[in-house]
């Protein structure tokens, strides 16, 4: 797909879905951004915000979360998250690892440590946590360290492939991410992540994308392909 076409799709995505969105950057300490990223992967900002607030309200502090069972943590998820058990376990594992290395939950300490390292080393440091994956590392880099990193989860990749912004052949996650990062201005990175996950939730479903009602259907190759076909 020509670069100009990709740019048109990115612009349409940002303007049509982004006009009412209010991306929030750097509101949480690194430790909390990491936990939030575990909740945020493959869901929307609204759901992740709600679940995160539940966690904060139901537990006295992060140490109480650390010593709780996965079932107790999952009660905060309100059945709104996929792979709830695995997510709860990752939160416990992360808090345990932090606790074992610092014997506290000093919310500023982790940011100071990462800021001293520079971007590449900070990403490597984050990736060493057992609970980390590509998404959590990219999320923290973008939200806490101001990096031009676009966290990509499975639902986001599905949307981007259907829109032709990444090629099916680009199988390496890092290659996919670099390709998208080249297409999205740094200042729009957070907004881009929000609108892609919102679109995955409202229209670009895994099984039956609702292309005819999608605001991207006039520019998305998959949406254009549905032209003339019967509405479902
Ligand atoms: S037009 Fe269809 S395939 Fe394209 S983004 Fe919208 S729902 Fe997804």
């Amino acid at each position: 797909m020509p670069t100009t076409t990709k740019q048109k799709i990115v612009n349409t995505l940002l303007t049509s879905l982004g006009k009412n969105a209010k991306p929030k950057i750097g509101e949480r300490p690194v430790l909390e951004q990491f936990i939030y990223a575990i909740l945020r992967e493959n869901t929307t900002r609204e759901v992740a915000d709600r679940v995160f607030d539940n966690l904060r309200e139901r537990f006295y502090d992060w140490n109480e979360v650390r010593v709780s069972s996965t079932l107790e943590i999952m009660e905060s998820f309100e059945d709104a998250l996929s792979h709830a058990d695995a997510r709860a376990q990752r939160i416990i594992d992360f808090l345990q690892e932090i606790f074992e290395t610092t014997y506290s939950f000093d919310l500023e300490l982790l940011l100071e440590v990462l800021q001293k390292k520079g971007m590449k080393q900070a990403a490597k440091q984050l990736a060493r946590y057992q609970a980390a994956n590509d998404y959590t590392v990219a999320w923290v880099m973008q939200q806490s360290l101001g990096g031009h990193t676009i966290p990509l989860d499975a639902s986001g990749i599905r949307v981007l492939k259907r829109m032709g912004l990444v090629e099916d052949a680009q199988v390496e996650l890092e290659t996919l991410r670099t390709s998208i990062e080249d297409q999205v201005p740094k200042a729009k990175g957070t907004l881009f992540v929000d609108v892609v996950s919102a679109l995955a939730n409202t229209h670009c479903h895994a099984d039956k994308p609702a292309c005819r009602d999608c605001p991207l259907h006039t520019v998305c190759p998959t949406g254009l392909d549905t032209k003339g076909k019967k509405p479902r």
Side-chain angles (χ1 to χ4, degrees), residues 159 162-163 199 203-205 209-211 214-217 220 222-224:
V159 176
R162 285 177 178 163
M163 290 194 294
L199 189 62
H203 294 87
C204 207
H205 312 125
C211 296
C214 176
L216 271 294
H217 80 277
C220 168
T222 309
L224 288 167

Side-chain angles (χ1 to χ4, degrees), residues 110-126 128 137 140-141 145-147 149:
L110 197 49
L111 179 63
E112 282 174 31
V113 170
L114 294 172
Q115 280 174 332
K116 280 182 193 155
K117 286 181 177 290
M119 286 298 188
K120 273 194 176 173
Q121 287 306 316
K124 279 188 184 170
Q125 165 99 7
L126 285 166
R128 282 193 203 113
V137 173
V140 174
M141 293 302 292
L145 297 175
T149 314

Side-chain angles (χ1 to χ4, degrees), residues 153-164:
D153 54 19
S155 58
I157 292 170
R158 177 180 77 237
V159 176
L160 299 177
K161 282 189 173 172
R162 285 177 178 163
M163 290 194 294

